[in-house]
Amino acid sequence: MPQITVDYSAPLDRRGFALALHALLAETVDASLDSCKTRFREVEETVVGDGSSEDVVVHVEIALLFGRTDATQARLSEAVLALLPRYLKAAEGARLSVEVRDLENSYRKR
């Protein structure tokens, strides 16, 4: 735990972002650095709105063990949105989003 997935269509410093994100999670939701796991999925094509522009998209999904308050999850989302542009090669016009959610009760790890 935390399980992090980043879908991106923009040039992104993946390693730098993941390391900064892990430190942010450790500070914000009291997660250990060793428990943070991030995977990246490059998105080949995105279409935003009417498709008339070449918008790039980055969506970060963070799944945590149950127990964080809505306020804590919202604070984390805002912090991730503030962090993300520092690791994009061209943040201007990028569509950025973050979702923080609880892991399902069936989650197990080894």
Side-chain angles (χ1 to χ4, degrees):
M1 189 279 313
Q3 296 290 332
I4 306 152
T5 305
V6 181
D7 294 309
Y8 68 99
S9 68
L12 175 65
D13 173 4
R14 296 182 304 267
R15 184 172 179 76
F17 176 65
L19 293 173
L21 179 59
H22 294 177
L24 177 66
L25 282 161
E27 178 184 315
T28 307
V29 297
D30 196 30
S32 73
L33 282 176
D34 289 344
S35 68
C36 296
K37 296 171 263 341
T38 299
R39 63 183 179 272
F40 293 89
R41 300 185 298 202
E42 187 170 10
V43 177
E44 189 173 311
E45 182 176 2
T46 61
V47 178
V48 177
D50 65 6
S52 62
S53 62
E54 294 289 326
D55 293 321
V56 296
V57 175
V58 180
H59 177 72
V60 179
E61 180 181 299
I62 302 170
L64 303 169
L65 290 175
F66 179 79
R68 276 45 178 227
T69 65
D70 289 344
T72 298
Q73 290 184 359
R75 190 170 60 251
L76 177 59
S77 292
E78 291 297 327
V80 174
L81 280 177
L83 178 69
L84 190 51
R86 297 181 214 164
Y87 296 91
L88 290 172
K89 305 276 191 279
E92 188 68 32
R95 307 286 184 118
L96 309 178
S97 58
V98 177
E99 176 185 4
V100 178
R101 63 175 183 79
D102 293 329
L103 286 163
E104 296 294 327
N105 289 333
S106 61
Y107 174 77
R108 300 292 184 270
K109 65 180 181 176
R110 178 168 21 158

